Amino acid sequence: MQKIHVLFVCLGNICRSPTAHGVFQQLVDDSGLTDYFDIDSAGTSGWHIGKKPDSRTMVAAKKRGYDLSALRGRQVDVDDFEKYDYILAMDESNLKDLQVLQPSHYSGVLTLFLNYFPESSYNEVPDPYYGGDKGFDTVLDLVEAASQGLLTTIRNEKNL
């Protein structure tokens, strides 16, 4: 079976998308499915290329057992549409930016990440960058639930 390629995308790739990357990677690893997945994250902007996730993001994630320290920011590229089966945007603005880049022949899934958590009162993962610490916990709550939904969907679609 070919690997399933999943890309999480936010604006700067230092808060929301690396959180989703780390949480989903651990969920996949804990499910014994590591060999079936290639997981990454990126930002629609190039502001933080090569940088670690925001320190507040890493602290909040670490409290829940996620280690994001190896992740580095990168900017999404049109070539990502050649590789990734699932490209998941954290908010509508990110989704619109991705739709501009999307080649007409792309046959993967390009959608909002929280579509995999339909019970949520949120439609988008809110950007915690300019808020307080509680925002980072909210991001983790949403990302953990959406990650479960995404993995369940992929397992059902791919018979894993």
Side-chain angles (χ1 to χ4, degrees):
M1 175 179 189
Q2 286 188 344
K3 282 199 175 207
I4 301 154
H5 301 274
V6 179
L7 180 65
F8 298 99
V9 180
C10 68
L11 179 62
N13 193 211
I14 59 167
C15 294
R16 297 171 291 171
S17 58
T19 298
H21 180 168
V23 168
F24 191 68
Q25 183 70 61
Q26 185 157 329
L27 181 61
V28 165
D29 293 349
D30 291 349
S31 298
L33 299 171
T34 306
D35 293 342
Y36 294 100
F37 284 88
D38 174 41
I39 302 162
D40 200 2
S41 58
T44 57
S45 78
W47 298 328
H48 304 289
I49 293 172
K51 295 189 178 157
K52 290 182 180 183
D54 182 283
S55 61
R56 299 165 296 172
T57 295
M58 292 202 308
V59 166
K62 192 73 165 170
K63 286 180 184 173
R64 296 201 194 181
Y66 306 108
D67 182 5
L68 309 181
S69 63
L71 304 180
R72 296 294 179 270
R74 75 174 186 87
Q75 187 171 13
V76 72
D77 185 274
V78 70
D79 293 340
D80 289 325
F81 288 92
E82 300 299 323
K83 179 177 181 180
Y84 291 96
D85 306 300
Y86 295 84
I87 300 178
L88 305 166
M90 296 298 129
D91 64 36
E92 289 285 350
S93 178
N94 305 143
L95 183 59
K96 286 177 185 162
D97 290 342
L98 289 165
Q99 288 168 334
V100 168
L101 283 177
Q102 179 183 3
S104 59
H105 64 274
Y106 180 64
S107 61
V109 175
L110 173 61
T111 191
L112 289 172
F113 182 39
L114 286 190
N115 285 344
Y116 293 96
F117 181 29
E119 302 83 11
S120 175
S121 60
Y122 291 83
N123 295 322
E124 304 174 316
V125 179
D127 190 344
Y129 188 79
Y130 292 107
D133 292 344
K134 182 158 175 38
F136 294 90
D137 291 329
T138 299
V139 167
L140 277 159
D141 292 342
L142 294 169
V143 164
E144 286 174 337
S147 291
Q148 287 282 352
L150 174 62
L151 185 57
T152 297
T153 297
I154 293 173
R155 289 183 86 159
N156 290 338
E157 289 174 356
K158 306 293 184 184
N159 294 316
L160 294 177

